[in-house]
Each structure stands twice: as structure tokens, then as C-alpha cells.
Amino acid sequence: MLTRNSADVIVVGAGVVGAACAYYAARSGLRVAVLDRGSVAGGTTGAGEGNLLVSDKEPGPELELSKVSAELWRKLSEELPPDIEYEPKGGLVVASDEAGMAALRDFASGQRRAGVTAQEVPADRLRELEPHLAAGLAGGFHYPQDAQVMPALAAAHLLRAGGDRVRLRLGEEVTGLLTGASGEIRGVRTAVGELHAPYVVNAAGTWGGEIARLAHVALPVRPRRGFVLVTEPLPRVVRRKVYAADYVADVASGSAALQTSAVVEGTPAGPVLIGASRERVGYDRTLSPEALRRLAAQATALFPVLAGIRAMRTYIGFRPYLPDHLPAIGPDPRVPGLLHACGHEGAGIGLAPATGLAIARSLTGGEPPLDIAPFRPERFSPAA
Amino acid sequence: MARTPAELVGAQPGPPFRITFDGRPVTALPGQSVAAALWGAGILAWRTTRVGGRPRGAFCGIGQCYDCLATINGEPNRRACLVPARPGDAITTQEGHGRAALGV
Ligand SMILES: Cc1cc2nc3c(=O)[nH]c(=O)nc-3n(C[C@H](O)[C@H](O)[C@H](O)COP(=O)(O)OP(=O)(O)OC[C@H]3O[C@@H](n4cnc5c(N)ncnc54)[C@H](O)[C@@H]3O)c2cc1C
Ligand code: FES
């Protein structure tokens, strides 16, 4: 059997999270092999939107992670080519009535204490920010730190920017983990052969639980389905990322039932993206007209002009979620040499850089960019 | 002697009618698509591309390629190869996405 020993670390998964891990590890001087059974961004990364949001996060570990990431994305936008379509466009959350406005005010004041910039926008000023917004809204909050990237291109350029130290192996599925006498990681097994390295990073997204299982440890990552509606190409009709107040409640909800609260944003390519729905139905890829109907109805309620615009297509993805809606990031104390970087649910694009940097720092023994204890991968096992 | 497709199939179309292309009159036959009527009048391009502003007209002719998009009676992005011509239709050259008026 073919054995190769040319990497300091093996990253399983070439989505945006694996790409960020590879980028920061390579920048720290490590030689990285990135394996994916499919193509770059062929998983959930190629099936979502590219919102980099702080606005939808309540104070807590995920907000901290997204604040560090927001700053890293800003730096990455200078280090990577403009093709990643980074747009620091800001977000606008609107409320349809006074009760909704009161809830937003409450939410924003907690976020402000955690360092988020949130500016109240009275009803009569909403259209200065978004001229096409519907009439009769009660007001909103402007979040200048929200931004956007094109996720598939961002993942690809992160991998490329890793330079010679990043070796990409596509179409190679990891089917087993190699371990030594005391259970420590020695590499991975694929259909092609064995690849040796003292560290393996599980960046397999929604399939991260399966990689953990290969190491005989539990990590309960599950899929949460989402649809995105794509309109015909338009000039700039929507300037920011605009969504209604209910979105935040939907994101935080653990319910399995279908939830939709449209987030509307333009793209440099022209189409407006309307996303996304959330429901727990396993890996069912059946088109859901009800999810699409609701997304369209909510988007046209926010922007009546969209009622005269065609939706060209829709796509579907499966967010990797863990029971407490936080990702798993860091070394697994149960398996020396195994690190996890998965389970980012609906925010993996936004959270990728801080995740990647934290993993790189773990590998090189450096200071993590923030406290990653809340993301301990072993937190779901009964013994922990 | 050159024979037209209508002669080849022995078609007996109803009386011709007028549509306009960028304001100038074009003759169409009942059942003809907008693209066919424009081609019949020697017009091959009725859209410019979004990025390079290059000319575009019908390519596949069967609704698959979306190259033939035109603004028909003020509505952009109609596939001219699929839309039947109707008396009085106003076809206009579509610039890019044809939605410039919505830009903010
Ligand atoms: C509809 C929708 C909208 C979204 N919108 C946003 C948004 O606006 N902002 C945001 O931040 N996030 C958003 N997300 C979430 C975001 O897309 C994900 O959190 C993120 O893409 C996860 O990235 P990843 O790299 O962890 O996983 P993935 O991109 O899925 O990458 C994992 C990779 O691992 C590979 N793999 C799995 N098993 C193996 C194996 N055994 N061997 C080899 N390779 C393997 C897979 O092929 C895959 O390519 C959205 C998601 C959806 C579905
Ligand atoms: S020419 Fe191809 S769609 Fe009309």
C-alpha cells in the first residue's frame, strides 16, 4: 500500500473552514495536506450565502468568535484578491411594529455592551438607507460591521494563498484514521492509500460526526436544511443585508419545523439572494415549494419592487449544527493529534477565519485569538 | 430556387401584422416568435451584454441558452425565441440586465 509522509498536518475538508485552517497553518510555517472527497467548496460552503454577520448574534461565545472573524475577514480582504467579493456593506434589521422595535432595542443594547456597533434608525430615515424598502415599517437598526463575501471563491483563494505549503488532494475520501500504540493520530487512510501526519483537523462540516466516529469518539453534528432563492441579475437594488427582526429568533431556535425569515442582499454578479429557510429533515434534497413561497413572500414584503422580478433558480444546503448551536473547535483530549473545526451551522463563512487561526495556534502552541473553551469538542460526551 | 420554411411545410398563415423594433416597424406572421420576426427583418441582435456591452440575439432558438433576452412591451428578460409575436408588440434593445431604472 502506498504511504506518503509529507505533511505536518492533514485537514479533512476543503470547505471554507478547512481552507481557513490550511491558510493560517501554512502561514505559521506548517506543511498542510488538504483532502476532500469532492471539490473545493463542494459541500455546504458552495450552497449558502456569504453573510458575515455580527448583527444576528447575542452576547456570548459565538459573538466573540464572529467579532474576531470580522476583523480577520477585513485583513483577508487586503491579502486575498478582490475576486472574493468582500463587501463591508453593513446590515439593516427592520421591525414592522413597535413591539418588534422594542425587542430590537433590547437585543442591540446587549450587543453594544459586547462591543457591537448598532445604530437605531427611525422609521422616517429607513429609506435613506434603503430606498426600495416597504412603507409602514416601524424602524430598524443599522449594523455597520456586517459584511459579505462570495464563499466558494473565498475558500478557493484561501487555499491558493497558502502557497507551496498547502497540498490539495481532491476526490480523495478519508475512510479511516491511523493511530499509534497509545491511540495517538498518525495519519489518515483513503481509497488511494495512507497519508501520514501527526495531526488531523476534522473540517468535514456537516459530516464532521463521521470523521469523529472513525476516531471512535462522539461529535453529534447534524444537518439543518436551507434553501436560497436567486433572482435575475439586477443593478444595485438592495444596498446592505436587510432582514426582519424575526430572523434572530429563527436562528437561535432549536425547532425542527420549517422556519423562514428572509435575509435579502445584492451580489456583485447582479442577482439578489433571498435566504434562507431552516428545517431539520435529514439530508432530504426534495424541493420545498412551501419554503420557497415563504421566502419570496417575506422578501417582497420587505422590498415590494422584487414582486416584479423573476426568481431564476434556487439551491439547497445542509448546515452543520451541534445541539448547543456552537461549533467544535480545538484539540480533542480523547484522541491526541485530532483537532476539530466543524459544526458552524449557519455562520461558518463568517466564523471561518477565527476558527482557522485558533486551529493554527493550537498546532504551533501559540496563544489562541480568543478563549476557545466554550467550543470544546468533547463537551457532548457524558464523561466530559 | 430558394424556398422559405413556410413554403416547405405548405403553411398558410393568416394575414401579417406589425410589431416594432426600437420604434421601427417590422412585419410578423401569426405564430411567429419575436426572434423569428426580427430575423425575418434582418435584425440579428437585440441585447447588449452586461459587462462588455457586446451584441446578442438568438443562439439556440429553443429556450435553453437565454442569449435572446429582449425587452418586450417594457418587460425585460423575455426569451424572444419563445414569446409569440402579437400585433402591436414593442420590442426594444435590452441594455445589460434591462433593469437600470431600479438602481439605487
Ligand atoms: C442555505 C444556507 C445559507 C447559509 N448562509 C450563510 C451565511 O450567509 N453566512 C455564513 O457564515 N454561513 C452561512 N451558511 C453556513 C455555511 O455555509 C456553513 O457553516 C459553512 O459552509 C461550513 O463550512 P465547512 O467548511 O465547515 O463545511 P463544508 O463546506 O461542507 O466542507 C466540508 C467538506 O468536507 C468534505 N468531506 C466530508 N467528509 C469527508 C471525508 N470522509 N473525506 C474527505 N472529505 C470529506 C466534504 O466533501 C466538504 O467539501 C449557510 C448555509 C446554508 C445551507
Ligand atoms: S435563443 Fe436560446 S433561449 Fe432563446
Side-chain angles (χ1 to χ4, degrees):
Chain A
M1 185 171 246
L2 183 65
T3 40
R4 292 158 290 169
N5 194 357
S6 56
D8 298 313
V9 52
I10 296 166
V11 175
V12 183
V16 70
V17 174
C21 291
Y23 174 78
Y24 288 108
R27 296 250 310 209
S28 316
L30 301 177
R31 290 165 308 151
V32 191
V34 180
L35 269 70
D36 200 297
R37 63 185 173 198
S39 54
V40 171
T44 312
T45 296
E49 297 156 276
N51 298 321
L52 316 176
L53 302 183
V54 295
S55 57
D56 65 337
K57 296 182 179 61
E58 59 186 0
E62 197 190 359
L63 179 60
E64 293 310 308
L65 194 61
S66 74
K67 276 163 43 195
V68 174
S69 267
E71 186 48 31
L72 290 172
W73 270 121
R74 202 191 52 71
K75 287 192 197 140
L76 286 170
S77 74
E78 290 159 10
E79 291 159 19
L80 303 178
D83 313 53
I84 67 166
E85 299 181 357
Y86 175 81
E87 295 182 294
K89 52 166 60 168
L92 179 66
V93 191
V94 297
S96 51
D97 55 19
E98 265 316 312
M101 208 45 208
L104 280 185
R105 227 170 257 135
D106 203 41
F107 194 70
S109 72
Q111 289 175 312
R112 281 202 193 105
R113 283 193 293 278
V116 172
T117 309
Q119 296 148 350
E120 181 161 345
V121 184
D124 60 355
R125 291 214 33 235
L126 283 175
R127 287 213 180 132
E128 286 171 28
L129 274 72
E130 292 293 342
H132 284 297
L133 259 183
L137 292 164
F141 272 83
H142 177 217
Y143 289 87
Q145 289 152 313
D146 284 353
Q148 175 175 324
V149 291
M150 200 295 191
L153 288 170
H157 283 289
L158 278 166
L159 288 168
R160 186 173 287 175
D164 289 345
R165 292 205 188 94
V166 175
R167 286 284 148 85
L168 198 52
R169 301 174 174 279
L170 301 177
E172 223 175 311
E173 175 158 15
V174 171
T175 54
L177 294 177
L178 309 172
T179 49
S182 49
E184 81 282 8
I185 288 288
R186 304 284 293 274
V188 299
R189 185 176 302 115
T190 76
V192 181
E194 293 180 351
L195 185 61
H196 290 183
Y199 295 103
V200 168
V201 177
N202 171 15
T206 316
W207 304 272
E210 289 160 33
I211 300 296
R213 205 171 308 126
L214 295 177
H216 309 291
V217 292
L219 189 64
V221 190
R222 306 252 189 284
R224 197 174 182 191
R225 182 170 82 172
F227 285 100
V228 178
L229 264 181
V230 185
T231 73
E232 60 185 286
L234 296 171
R236 198 173 60 165
V237 167
V238 181
R239 291 175 177 162
R240 295 175 179 75
K241 344 200 107 282
V242 181
Y243 59 93
D246 340 307
Y247 175 78
V248 177
D250 275 9
V251 170
S253 160
S255 164
L258 171 65
Q259 293 156 322
T260 53
S261 41
V263 178
V264 186
E265 76 256 353
T267 58
V272 165
L273 300 184
I274 303 167
S277 58
R278 291 164 195 271
E279 67 196 304
R280 287 184 0 224
V281 290
Y283 288 101
D284 182 359
R285 299 191 65 90
T286 318
L287 188 83
S288 164
E290 178 56 15
L292 301 180
R293 190 193 64 74
R294 288 204 217 167
L295 286 175
Q298 289 166 347
T300 53
L302 284 175
F303 291 100
V305 65
L306 293 179
I309 300 297
R310 280 188 202 81
M312 286 198 309
R313 64 188 183 97
T314 175
Y315 57 80
I316 184 178
F318 297 96
R319 303 175 185 85
Y321 87 92
L322 282 159
D324 59 2
H325 302 286
L326 293 178
I329 303 172
D332 192 325
R334 301 166 294 186
V335 186
L338 178 65
L339 296 90
H340 299 281
C342 59
H344 295 73
E345 199 166 336
I349 315 302
L351 304 177
T355 302
L357 186 57
I359 292 292
R361 295 274 168 84
S362 285
L363 290 166
T364 55
E367 267 297 296
L370 80 168
D371 175 21
I372 57 169
F375 313 115
R376 287 176 310 125
E378 74 280 17
R379 65 189 188 273
F380 304 103
S381 65
Chain B
M1 194 183 91
R3 299 178 69 192
T4 67
E7 283 165 5
L8 283 169
V9 297
Q12 296 183 317
F17 55 85
R18 282 281 166 88
I19 63 174
T20 60
F21 174 68
D22 287 343
R24 81 185 214 234
V26 168
T27 304
L29 290 169
Q32 247 181 345
S33 67
V34 167
L38 294 177
W39 267 13
I43 298 160
L44 300 180
W46 48 83
R47 176 171 69 91
T48 55
T49 58
R50 276 186 286 152
V51 178
R54 289 187 302 274
R56 286 292 186 276
F59 177 61
C60 73
I62 53 171
Q64 293 300 301
C65 71
Y66 287 71
D67 238 19
C68 62
L69 300 177
T71 296
I72 301 181
N73 300 325
E75 195 185 337
N77 293 327
R78 313 267 349 246
R79 279 171 289 175
C81 73
L82 293 187
V83 179
R86 307 244 182 264
D89 276 349
I91 320 302
T92 40
T93 293
Q94 176 173 327
E95 282 167 22
H97 43 57
R99 301 279 193 188
L102 297 181
V104 292

